[in-house]
Amino acid sequence: MVDQVETIEYEVFPTHIIRSKCPSITPQDKQDMMDCVDWMIEQGMYTDNEQTPKYQTSVMLFRDDAPAVWLKLREEFYQACSNYLEMVDNFVQNQKVLQIGGSGAWAYKGWESLNDGESNPWHHHNPAFLSGVYYLHDPGDGTTGGTEFYDPRTAPALGTRMQEILPMENTWIIFPGWLGHRSCQLPLEEPRYVISGNLYVKVADGLGK
């Protein structure tokens, strides 16, 4: 479906999730990103604590001095966030005068035997304005392995109102930074690669030149 359309809208709970495909990203770009993630992990450039699962890289992929392929993905992320605000035109009152104030991104690589010993807790990205997940490589059959969200009007421990957005490679899903979520793991040894990103904004004051 995503091959025929630029965006897909999901109405979940009291909010929206918007999927955008990334037409500028080539198969070689995707391979380069996976190779880069592997290199970062080999160099120990990942978080190592109980709050984050292995392997989650440092938040440095969208830095201005990052390799060109990450800056290319950053532009696709910005476009996906713009698509979100165009489609959800009542997200915030002043969204027509918002400007990008910054962004950050990191990669996650996991597989079944690694995931067995790792937790995947519910979390959110507050105070990010918008957040996103890019499905770089998903070795499953597309029926799971995406991102699960829970209704923010209830506690996640209740386990009664949850919805999984299925993975589609080379797409961003964009959602409010405060929306609780977690990755859905796959029962496979082939690694799954995803990129997470946060967008921060500021209100244009009309004083800039």
Side-chain angles (χ1 to χ4, degrees):
M1 181 176 181
V2 78
D3 290 333
Q4 283 75 45
V5 297
E6 294 293 330
T7 58
I8 300 173
E9 180 175 8
Y10 305 92
E11 295 186 9
V12 294
F13 317 130
T15 187
H16 299 76
I17 297 170
I18 304 295
R19 187 191 301 272
S20 295
K21 68 179 181 180
C22 302
S24 74
I25 302 299
T26 68
Q28 185 60 55
D29 290 335
K30 293 172 64 179
Q31 185 61 55
D32 290 346
M33 285 189 277
M34 287 189 287
D35 290 344
C36 186
V37 171
D38 290 344
W39 179 84
M40 292 178 69
I41 292 171
E42 290 170 2
Q43 300 301 311
M45 300 166 65
Y46 59 86
T47 57
D48 188 11
N49 57 59
E50 295 180 355
Q51 283 71 47
T52 56
K54 287 184 179 178
Y55 286 100
Q56 183 171 300
T57 71
S58 302
V59 185
M60 57 192 306
L61 302 183
F62 285 177
R63 291 183 0 178
D64 289 341
D65 60 353
V69 69
W70 295 118
L71 301 183
K72 192 174 181 181
L73 186 65
R74 184 177 71 178
E75 289 305 309
E76 291 286 4
F77 175 60
Y78 290 165
Q79 182 59 55
C81 290
S82 177
N83 292 344
Y84 186 97
L85 294 178
E86 288 181 8
M87 297 183 71
V88 188
D89 59 6
N90 62 345
F91 183 56
V92 292
Q93 290 182 338
N94 61 351
Q95 64 191 58
K96 298 296 184 181
V97 293
L98 295 177
Q99 295 178 340
I100 294 173
S103 63
W106 59 99
Y108 171 74
K109 176 185 179 182
W111 56 92
E112 183 179 31
S113 56
L114 176 69
N115 296 337
D116 286 344
E118 297 293 325
S119 63
N120 183 33
W122 290 102
H123 64 284
H124 57 74
H125 295 181
N126 208 25
F129 180 69
L130 290 173
S131 295
V133 174
Y134 173 75
Y135 299 105
L136 176 55
H137 177 65
D138 191 283
D141 60 7
T143 60
T144 190
T147 306
E148 188 176 26
F149 296 85
Y150 72 81
D151 190 335
R153 298 168 296 186
T154 64
L158 296 178
T160 57
R161 289 187 59 80
M162 302 176 184
Q163 181 164 331
E164 180 182 357
I165 302 299
L166 297 178
M168 293 183 185
E169 287 192 7
N170 199 32
T171 66
W172 278 103
I173 60 167
I174 304 297
F175 49 90
W178 47 258
L179 187 59
H181 60 283
R182 65 180 178 181
S183 294
C184 296
Q185 307 296 350
L186 289 169
L188 299 171
E189 285 301 296
E190 182 179 350
R192 170 183 179 269
Y193 293 79
V194 297
I195 310 299
S196 293
N198 287 335
L199 182 78
Y200 303 93
V201 298
K202 58 184 179 181
V203 178
D205 56 17
L207 300 177
K209 299 295 184 181

